[in-house]
Amino acid sequence: MSNSASGMAVSDQCKLKFQELKAKRSFRFIVFKINEKVQQVVVDRVGEKNESYDDFTACLPADECRYAVFDFDFVTDENCQKSKIFFISWAPDTSRVRSKMLYASSKDRFKRELDGIQVELQATDPSEMSMDIVKGRAL
């Protein structure tokens, strides 16, 4: 267990699932949440390889913060198949202020635990993480 600046630990399961996504491409995405009772970041949901970006965005709660990683496959202008791992910090305007502060203060430390993130996005509503924005950041 690692402690973050906010005192938030990161469960080993978070790191193991991320390694599986990164090394084996076992999953399309992983959603993480902070379990305030045990002061720990835990895995909330894992998206299977065949799930889409729409499936991913649909599983983010409208009024609660989350962290997520998404394995984004795309084709470059040179017609090369590529993949980038996105780290997404989801903090909707409708979530509790305390929750937003907790996620903001824990983010950098948690992100350091996940070695291999290539692009970071922060979103407060779905329009800030649309497919067009993701594609633009990947290229």
Side-chain angles (χ1 to χ4, degrees):
M1 300 284 187
S2 314
N3 287 326
S4 66
S6 68
M8 201 57 59
V10 177
S11 80
D12 290 337
Q13 184 76 350
C14 291
K15 292 179 258 188
L16 290 170
K17 290 289 183 199
F18 179 75
Q19 286 304 323
E20 287 180 51
L21 178 142
K22 185 176 90 169
K24 299 179 192 160
R25 303 186 55 124
S26 305
F27 312 112
R28 175 65 58 202
F29 62 85
I30 308 167
V31 179
F32 305 95
K33 70 178 180 180
I34 292 177
N35 182 329
E36 291 186 45
K37 286 187 180 83
V38 293
Q39 293 289 295
Q40 187 177 64
V41 180
V42 297
V43 173
D44 185 34
R45 185 178 186 290
V46 173
E48 298 305 320
K49 246 348 246 178
N50 62 348
E51 292 193 69
S52 69
Y53 190 72
D54 288 337
D55 296 326
F56 163 65
T57 57
C59 78
L60 294 173
D63 58 354
E64 290 179 33
C65 300
R66 292 289 187 271
Y67 300 126
V69 290
F70 186 85
D71 186 7
F72 180 62
D73 294 325
F74 61 101
V75 178
T76 66
D77 293 338
E78 295 81 36
N79 211 26
C80 294
Q81 185 69 40
K82 296 244 178 165
S83 170
K84 287 209 174 159
I85 297 174
F86 277 72
F87 178 87
I88 298 167
S89 180
W90 172 246
D93 290 331
T94 54
S95 58
R96 295 186 346 260
V97 172
R98 175 174 156 43
S99 179
K100 286 190 259 198
M101 290 170 57
L102 189 59
Y103 275 78
S105 65
S106 303
K107 181 185 76 172
D108 288 340
R109 178 69 174 140
F110 176 59
K111 212 171 71 179
R112 279 197 296 273
E113 296 287 337
L114 307 179
D115 184 40
I117 288 167
Q118 295 158 302
V119 184
E120 180 180 344
L121 272 182
Q122 294 186 33
T124 59
D125 72 65
S127 70
E128 295 177 352
M129 51 186 268
S130 68
M131 182 50 80
D132 289 342
I133 289 173
V134 170
K135 282 180 183 167
R137 294 291 302 274
L139 295 173

